[in-house]
Amino acid sequence: MTDETSSSRHEALGLVVGLTALLSLLLIAFAWPSSQLEPRQLPVAVVGPEPVTQEIAAALSGALGQDAIEVVPVASREQAVSAIEEREVYGALLPSPEGTEVLVASAGSPAAAQLITQIGSRITSGGPPPIINDVVPLPAGDPRGAVFGTGAFPLVLGGIAAAGALSLRLRSRGTRLLGVAGVAIGAGLAFAAVLQLWLDALAGSYLANSGVIALGLAAVALLLMGLYNLLGAPGLGLGAAVILLLGNPLSAVAAAPELLPAGWSTLGQLLPPGASGTALRSVAFFDGNGAFVPLLVLAGYVVVGALLLTLPSRDRAPEADRRTSHFPRTGDALQGS
């Protein structure tokens, strides 16, 4: 066996092991958060006097665990509805001798709405079934929230692709910034048109939804472009891996942050995919309630990415530029002759 053959086999073995590890990591990153979904301090309003709310809180703690549900006492149905619309709680329980009414907001989280419905059935066990009212429903085109839940992944991929293409093909920082702005605005308008005008998966203002999507894509792209400017290709790759392997699975776009393990849920909301999903949900379905913090997070990434672009660059000219820089332009050669 020649040294060249042995080297090729070692290289092939290394690639097989590396790709197997990468694919396993991808599976773990996307599957593990889904396997850990359960309520953790999920805020639910309860309408009634203090003894009633305490009794329900004790019953829920015994059935679901000490920290599963955070019971928020409210005085009336109107206050419960207001708390849901302002994104302070995910739903409400209204027990009465005639029966229990359960208020949910499927637009806030289909998974949380289903869980609160089950809780309503649990506390009325042996009595009449609860009356379920969806205070903030999902649009008719996306009644289960599946389209909304899958919309975050193209946004992440779009931001990564834009960062890579603009960083590798454009050398001027100003041109890169203009490129990000153009891609973000165009993608925001296009994504919102598909999700809202075609698939009917979003409600609210089309332009407001477009703006949130544009900000989310710009946050991803500018952060990665800044890392590329600072660290070169390793910075771009590391940033993309963190956003893809951590940010997207922990975004809770298809669930709710309170259903993920503590700590991981916070991290997910501090990364662009989670902040984008929460901001878009708040703007599209809740008149902007609950959108301030995630929008602030996205704006922070935009600012940090722009600042990183102002630092001394570690990138190199594109390969095509390096090849042509060794040869005179046609016009210059003719003038010299």
Side-chain angles (χ1 to χ4, degrees), residues 2-258:
T2 65
D3 292 341
E4 183 178 353
T5 303
S6 177
S7 176
S8 298
R9 290 184 176 179
H10 286 140
E11 182 180 3
L13 178 62
L15 285 173
V16 169
V17 173
L19 288 173
T20 301
L22 176 61
L23 293 175
S24 300
L25 182 61
L26 282 171
L27 175 62
I28 293 171
F30 281 86
W32 177 78
S34 299
S35 71
Q36 301 298 310
L37 292 180
E38 61 181 54
R40 297 172 174 87
Q41 291 292 314
L42 184 75
V44 178
V46 177
V47 179
E50 185 175 351
V52 173
T53 60
Q54 290 180 348
E55 181 182 353
I56 291 178
L60 294 177
S61 295
L64 301 175
Q66 181 75 27
D67 299 321
I69 303 297
E70 178 189 353
V71 173
V72 179
V74 295
S76 66
R77 188 182 191 278
E78 289 73 21
Q79 290 185 10
V81 172
S82 178
I84 293 172
E85 292 176 342
E86 293 176 6
R87 304 218 70 188
E88 297 173 357
V89 298
Y90 281 91
L93 305 173
L94 291 77
S96 71
E98 293 77 22
T100 298
E101 182 183 11
V102 179
L103 304 180
V104 298
S106 59
S109 168
Q114 182 180 11
L115 176 63
I116 295 169
T117 300
Q118 294 172 354
I119 291 173
S121 299
R122 182 186 294 269
I123 66 173
T124 59
S125 179
I131 300 172
I132 312 299
N133 284 315
D134 198 342
V135 177
V136 188
L138 284 161
D142 188 26
R144 295 178 179 82
V147 176
F148 185 94
T150 57
F153 195 56
L155 187 149
V156 171
L157 289 181
I160 294 174
L166 296 174
S167 295
L168 294 173
R169 301 306 304 171
L170 302 179
R171 300 188 61 186
S172 165
R173 292 185 176 93
T175 306
R176 288 177 178 176
L177 287 174
L178 289 175
V180 170
V183 171
I185 293 172
L189 293 170
F191 280 26
V194 171
L195 292 174
Q196 185 167 358
L197 303 182
W198 179 23
L199 300 179
D200 189 26
L202 293 177
S205 167
Y206 165 72
L207 290 179
N209 294 335
S210 301
V212 174
I213 295 172
L215 182 62
L217 192 144
V220 173
L222 272 174
L223 176 65
L224 297 184
M225 289 172 67
L227 290 174
Y228 177 84
N229 182 69
L230 185 66
L231 302 173
L236 177 63
L238 178 62
V242 169
I243 290 176
L244 187 63
L245 298 180
L246 282 179
N248 202 66
L250 297 178
S251 65
V253 173
E258 290 82 359

